Amino acid sequence: MDPQQSGAGPETGRTARKRRAILDAATEVFLQNGYLGASMDEVAAKAAVSKQTVYKQFADKKHLFTEIILGTTAQLMDGFRQVATDLDRATDARQALHDLARALLANLTQPDVLRLRRLVIAEADRFPDISGAWFEHGFHESLVMLGETLRRLEGRGLLRNLPDPTLAAYQFAGLVMYKPMNQVMFAGTPAGPAAEELESIAGQAVEVFLAAYG
């Protein structure tokens, strides 16, 4: 066996682990300090690698920042794929939408998600291409996917009158998320609504949505 080939696997594995460690460390640093306050020295220290290794993986701070922000869009899409699968199995629109509302509230108000959202918004003017891509390939495409699922529910007679399924998905997300999301974005994560209020928001959002499309 070629010695270079025999060593390729372990080396590739070490490189991947270092890259993952750098991304994890950089995420923590950016979320804590913002873009301007983050330093590659601190990233290297937290990742337990040399600064040279950081620059070998990522050309500069902007490339590292881009990788972190856009890397979260895949996670968001994966979550909505599961939502779409669950909705496609639904036989009761009210219960399925209530479950969806609960899932949105639980997932999108997690502290790390909120911190990332604040970071993207804070740097939107500095990096409109990055924040724009995050919106387009994460939030928007997720709601397009949800809209396609709502259209299939319409096709099965569980919903009605959806001339614009993507708009309907935006409307549903807005009904569920507008109040709690703005509350925690402006007043801080600890200021989020109590569980009882979130449950009430979810239930009322479903009723308003079904009044239009049920």
Side-chain angles (χ1 to χ4, degrees), residues 31 48 113:
L31 289 177
V113 174

Side-chain angles (χ1 to χ4, degrees), residues 54 61-63 65 83 103 115 141 169 193:
V54 176
K61 188 164 73 167
K62 181 181 177 181
H63 281 83
F65 182 75
V83 164
R115 291 166 69 201
E141 288 186 11

Side-chain angles (χ1 to χ4, degrees), residues 128-147:
D129 53 335
I130 299 174
S131 57
W134 185 84
F135 171 80
E136 184 67 28
H137 300 302
F139 192 77
H140 178 69
E141 288 186 11
S142 294
L143 288 176
V144 169
M145 184 187 302
L146 176 58

Side-chain angles (χ1 to χ4, degrees), residues 65-133:
F65 182 75
T66 302
E67 180 84 8
I68 290 168
I69 299 303
L70 298 188
T72 63
T73 62
Q75 299 171 17
L76 191 58
M77 290 296 289
D78 287 344
F80 269 84
R81 285 189 187 93
Q82 184 58 53
V83 164
T85 299
D86 293 342
L87 278 179
D88 276 332
R89 296 171 179 163
T91 56
D92 182 329
R94 178 173 277 99
Q95 184 60 53
L97 290 171
H98 204 148
D99 291 342
L100 170 59
R102 289 192 186 105
L104 289 174
L105 287 166
N107 294 331
L108 297 182
T109 57
Q110 292 181 28
D112 285 349
V113 174
L114 294 171
R115 291 166 69 201
L116 178 69
R117 184 183 178 93
R118 291 188 189 103
L119 178 62
V120 172
I121 293 171
E123 301 300 338
D125 287 337
R126 191 188 318 277
F127 302 120
D129 53 335
I130 299 174
S131 57

Side-chain angles (χ1 to χ4, degrees), residues 183-199:
Q183 188 170 337
V184 293
M185 288 295 291
F186 288 109
T189 305
E196 295 80 5
E197 184 181 354
L198 292 177
E199 182 64 21

Side-chain angles (χ1 to χ4, degrees), residues 19 22-23 26 30 35 40 43 51-68:
R19 185 179 181 86
I22 293 168
L23 287 170
F30 281 124
Y35 182 82
M40 298 296 258
V43 170
K51 194 159 101 171
Q52 181 181 6
T53 299
V54 176
Y55 280 110
K56 184 177 180 181
Q57 292 290 326
F58 303 95
D60 53 34
K61 188 164 73 167
K62 181 181 177 181
H63 281 83
L64 180 54
F65 182 75
T66 302
E67 180 84 8
I68 290 168

